[in-house]
Amino acid sequence: MTPTPRDAPGTSALSGVRSFTGTQRALLGSGFLVNLISFSVYPYLAVLLRDRMSLGMNEVGVVLGLATFVQFAGGVPGAALAERIGFQRCLLISMALQTLGSLGFVVGGAWPAVTIAALFLRSAATALYSPSVRGYTVHGASLEERPRLVAASYATGNVGVALGPVVGSLFIRDPGGMFVAATALHLVMMIGHVFLPRERRDDREVVEPMRRALRGLAVLPFAVTALTLYLHMHFYQYLSSYAEDRVPTVFYGAAMMGYSLVLAVMQPLIADRVERMRYTYAMALGFGGLAVGMIAFTGGNEVMIAVGILAIGAGNSVLLLKNVLEALARTKRSPAVVFSHQRLAEGVGAFLSGLVGGGLYYQFETAGQLPGFWLAIAAQCALIPPVLLLVYRRFRHLPQERADSS
């Protein structure tokens, strides 16, 4: 493939897509469809579990939290498996599990317990799918091609995330129809993945034992990714409750779709610039955007919520992309393993956000000072990143200081 000229960032997205191979385009389309199907179901899972299982919302939260953790943390063993049996085989296995999971949602109407089993089956399938599809997408690509491929992978996935809830809303009164459609699409995708070529293994690539799955972890990108998701999930999990009775539901849904579209459009356009950007500068832009967005939410009206979502979208466009590129650059492990490390970091951050953010939100809500919740998160966006950098640099220099003093 001919790399896009690096002095023409405005044309990188279009020319980059034209230079992708047929396999890469198929993988990007697969990522779009997987997220489209998943997020047409995901927003309605809480209601589904409550109706089918007669669970309280606290119990629903525990089930969804555990399923999310399986989905994120499972990426590490998923990547280790992909290194051993190959990306194409892992993608095929994942699609088979997704198909069974969707079928479980269909029959869960008659046997409610099957619904929970199907939820965890699809979480496990996603844990296997995510590092495999992204690892395969950049497999064999040069260092110059990687930023565009990573950005395109995230962009197509974000388009699926944006459109999924809209598609799901068409089936909101007929969830059975939605699950039948998801089963059919997953079955078609499983058949399509049979025809993907098996990738050639690099004989020089070292495949670590499963017990060393975390070997070569890029520590700083891992920590920054966990912090990014910790702060981001306050917005993603609690803004819906805050926006209720403040803005129309239709506006909120459109604004959240706009957030995903911002990432989908911006990341391919800025991929080359972000790749060249210093990590500290990217952190300043990214966490700065998050802080501005959180402050804007205190306004509590349509305009300020829209401004906040756009600011967070712009900040995350830089930060999420740079974290992945930095992780790829700082380790000799395969891209699939690096992506699994990043997924694990995302799971850690999301878990901490649920653990800390829920209690914090409750405290401000009880005090009748809910806008102060967003100011507290904005303060963390400004204060925690520099502290993280100082701690990292201090621990990185400790071995050298001990060597010098001995």
Side-chain angles (χ1 to χ4, degrees):
M1 292 187 288
T2 303
T4 302
R6 300 175 74 82
D7 58 350
T11 63
S12 63
L14 293 177
S15 59
V17 170
R18 285 195 293 266
S19 70
F20 294 162
T21 67
T23 299
Q24 288 167 342
R25 292 176 184 175
L27 292 169
L28 294 173
S30 175
F32 162 74
L33 286 174
V34 164
N35 276 2
L36 177 70
I37 298 169
S38 295
F39 281 84
S40 66
V41 176
Y42 184 81
Y44 313 107
L45 282 177
V47 176
L48 181 73
L49 291 173
R50 184 181 59 193
D51 292 347
R52 285 187 175 182
M53 307 295 296
S54 299
L55 299 176
M57 288 306 293
N58 56 332
E59 296 168 314
V60 168
V62 171
V63 172
L64 292 179
L66 289 173
T68 302
F69 186 75
V70 168
Q71 179 176 321
F72 282 111
V76 173
L81 182 62
E83 280 195 320
R84 280 154 182 77
I85 70 174
F87 298 133
Q88 188 266 350
R89 289 177 177 174
C90 276
L91 289 173
L92 188 57
I93 294 171
S94 173
M95 284 298 104
L97 294 177
Q98 291 278 18
T99 304
L100 289 174
S102 293
L103 183 61
F105 280 134
V106 174
V107 302
W111 298 293
V114 178
T115 300
I116 292 182
L119 173 61
F120 279 92
L121 188 62
R122 286 185 58 171
S123 295
T126 302
L128 180 59
Y129 176 85
S130 182
S132 299
V133 73
R134 287 178 179 158
Y136 198 178
T137 301
V138 301
H139 180 73
S142 67
L143 294 178
E144 291 77 15
E145 294 163 343
R146 276 185 176 181
R148 290 194 304 275
L149 286 168
V150 172
S153 178
Y154 276 93
T156 52
N158 280 320
V159 173
V161 172
L163 297 181
V166 178
V167 173
S169 67
L170 302 176
F171 296 91
I172 193 167
R173 297 187 183 278
D174 182 22
M178 177 168 60
F179 299 142
V180 168
T183 303
L185 280 173
H186 277 138
L187 180 60
V188 171
M189 292 179 67
M190 181 180 69
I191 295 171
H193 281 69
V194 172
F195 297 98
L196 284 176
R198 291 185 183 176
E199 71 282 3
R200 295 181 180 179
R201 185 178 296 278
D202 188 346
D203 294 333
R204 296 168 297 176
E205 184 178 323
V206 177
V207 178
E208 299 282 359
M210 186 76 76
R211 68 180 183 276
R212 300 169 75 179
L214 293 178
R215 184 180 177 86
L217 178 74
V219 176
L220 184 59
F222 183 92
V224 175
T225 298
L227 177 59
T228 301
L229 263 291
Y230 163 73
L231 295 169
H232 162 80
M233 292 303 288
H234 287 86
F235 143 68
Y236 209 77
Q237 290 177 330
Y238 305 118
L239 183 60
S240 59
S241 297
Y242 178 76
E244 191 176 13
D245 298 328
R246 286 184 169 87
V247 300
T249 303
V250 174
F251 169 83
Y252 173 76
M256 291 303 292
M257 182 177 71
Y259 165 78
S260 296
L261 293 178
V262 166
L263 267 67
V265 172
M266 281 193 66
Q267 286 187 324
L269 294 176
I270 64 176
D272 287 341
R273 289 183 178 177
V274 171
E275 191 270 338
R276 296 192 299 265
M277 192 180 293
R278 290 184 60 184
Y279 200 13
T280 51
Y281 184 53
M283 288 177 63
L285 287 176
F287 288 117
L290 286 171
V292 170
M294 302 298 178
I295 293 172
F297 291 152
T298 62
N301 55 50
E302 287 95 330
V303 173
M304 296 307 293
I305 287 178
V307 168
I309 289 175
L310 288 175
I312 291 174
N316 276 342
S317 293
V318 175
L319 195 52
L320 294 173
L321 180 57
K322 186 61 175 178
N323 286 340
V324 175
L325 295 175
E326 198 71 17
L328 287 167
R330 289 180 180 233
T331 181
K332 295 181 180 179
R333 296 299 301 273
S334 70
V337 172
V338 174
F339 288 129
S340 76
H341 291 170
Q342 292 301 100
R343 290 283 290 180
L344 177 59
E346 291 172 357
V348 171
F351 177 75
L352 289 176
S353 180
L355 195 65
V356 176
L360 188 64
Y361 188 92
Y362 174 77
Q363 293 298 325
F364 279 99
E365 185 177 41
T366 303
Q369 300 293 330
L370 204 47
F373 170 78
W374 302 111
L375 293 177
I377 306 306
Q380 294 180 61
C381 292
L383 297 176
I384 298 180
V387 172
L388 175 62
L389 280 175
L390 288 174
V391 171
Y392 170 76
R393 288 170 177 170
R394 177 60 181 167
F395 277 92
R396 186 182 62 176
H397 291 315
L398 276 179
Q400 183 63 42
E401 292 176 1
R402 290 171 180 168
D404 293 341
S405 62
S406 61

